[in-house]
Amino acid sequence: MPFDDYQWTEDNPAGYGNAMGRYKTQVEWSFLQECLPPAPSRILDIGGGAGRFAVPLARLGYPVTVVDRSAAALRVLRETRTNGIRVIEGDFLKITSDEVYDAVIAIESVLYFVEIDLRALFCRVGSQLRSGRPFIFTGLNSKSWRYQLHRLRGSNAPRYRVGTPAAYGEALRQARFRVAKMRGFHWTPLPVTSDSPAVPVFAAAERHLRLDRWVEQSPWLLVAATRSD
């Protein structure tokens, strides 16, 4: 598959096929394994792309439905020919479905829902999740040192849906979720597609210093919430 057809694959150096991509995938995968119910629980993967997590989850026995707006990403996913994965191309907010799932995940995708506020997005998630089951996602932290540094530099990065730890928590509460776990990650100052040998050094320092506990200043947040109604 040509790299320029879809960037965010695990074998593309401009996507996740680099030291930074491997670091993020390891952290996010560990969090998913910790928070997901056992297989064969049915999972909805919002913005699952080329199957970075859907494929390993399906191989563990989870039936996974991937919703994504990118036809190119889903074409890559289909080419894996992984049993147990259903693909829906389209905008999660516009797809009509009465299905409910045992878990919903949104890894590195909440930031792209800029046309809706967090409370409304989480309510939409809750409508497809069984009561008492987990919603697991990652989010950018607007209180972090890294976000503030980008602002000082006058970064021209695309507009993202960004929140504070408190804002995510409050939006979840209003959407009838209870936060079960919130942790930080991605403390390295290196670019998102860096293949620098310094990446594992920063990752080791992050673990050693337990920076995952310092959520207020963490650039990225790992969040697991349970639908409470």
Side-chain angles (χ1 to χ4, degrees):
M1 175 110 212
F3 284 150
D4 59 2
D5 202 9
Y6 180 70
Q7 174 181 349
W8 297 103
T9 61
E10 292 179 84
D11 56 355
N12 187 346
Y16 291 104
N18 49 61
M20 187 70 79
R22 290 187 290 273
Y23 152 74
K24 290 196 296 179
T25 298
Q26 180 182 25
V27 172
E28 292 160 345
W29 176 244
S30 295
F31 193 70
L32 286 174
Q33 288 184 299
E34 181 180 334
C35 299
L36 284 172
S41 300
R42 297 175 66 245
I43 297 175
L44 174 62
D45 185 354
I46 301 171
R52 186 163 61 111
F53 297 110
V55 169
L57 286 170
R59 288 173 177 167
L60 288 176
Y62 290 94
V64 184
T65 297
V66 176
V67 178
D68 202 289
R69 290 180 279 195
S70 171
L74 296 179
R75 185 163 60 251
V76 175
L77 176 55
R78 290 187 182 99
E79 288 177 358
T80 68
R81 301 183 184 277
T82 305
N83 292 329
I85 295 179
R86 182 172 63 131
V87 169
I88 300 175
E89 182 182 338
D91 187 337
F92 169 68
L93 299 176
K94 298 177 181 178
I95 294 171
T96 302
S97 175
D98 294 327
E99 290 189 73
V100 290
Y101 296 84
D102 300 308
V104 177
I105 67 175
I107 307 301
E108 297 185 35
S109 60
V110 166
L111 71 162
Y112 294 110
F113 288 94
V114 296
E115 68 274 35
I116 188 172
D117 64 35
L118 287 170
R119 183 201 63 81
L121 173 61
F122 296 158
C123 283
R124 177 72 175 85
V125 170
S127 71
Q128 293 202 249
L129 184 62
R130 296 185 190 281
S131 180
R133 299 306 178 94
F135 170 39
I136 304 163
F137 69 95
T138 61
L140 286 168
N141 180 10
S142 61
K143 289 191 70 176
S144 75
W145 61 270
R146 186 167 186 153
Y147 186 82
Q148 298 302 323
L149 184 60
H150 280 306
R151 292 188 64 184
L152 288 173
R153 288 175 175 173
S155 173
N156 293 320
R159 177 173 172 253
Y160 293 132
R161 170 64 61 202
V162 182
T164 66
Y168 288 117
E170 178 60 18
L172 286 164
R173 186 192 66 78
Q174 292 178 7
R176 305 187 68 140
F177 281 93
R178 178 184 62 83
V179 175
K181 295 179 182 178
M182 185 179 291
R183 295 180 188 161
F185 76 114
H186 205 332
W187 282 79
T188 169
L190 298 169
V192 68
T193 57
S194 174
D195 203 31
S196 168
V199 171
V201 177
F202 280 110
E206 184 177 308
R207 290 192 303 270
H208 179 72
L209 298 173
R210 300 303 304 269
L211 295 178
D212 61 325
R213 298 181 178 183
W214 197 7
V215 295
E216 290 298 317
Q217 281 298 311
S218 178
W220 278 84
L221 301 171
L222 297 154
V223 185
T226 303
R227 188 181 166 203
S228 58
D229 59 354

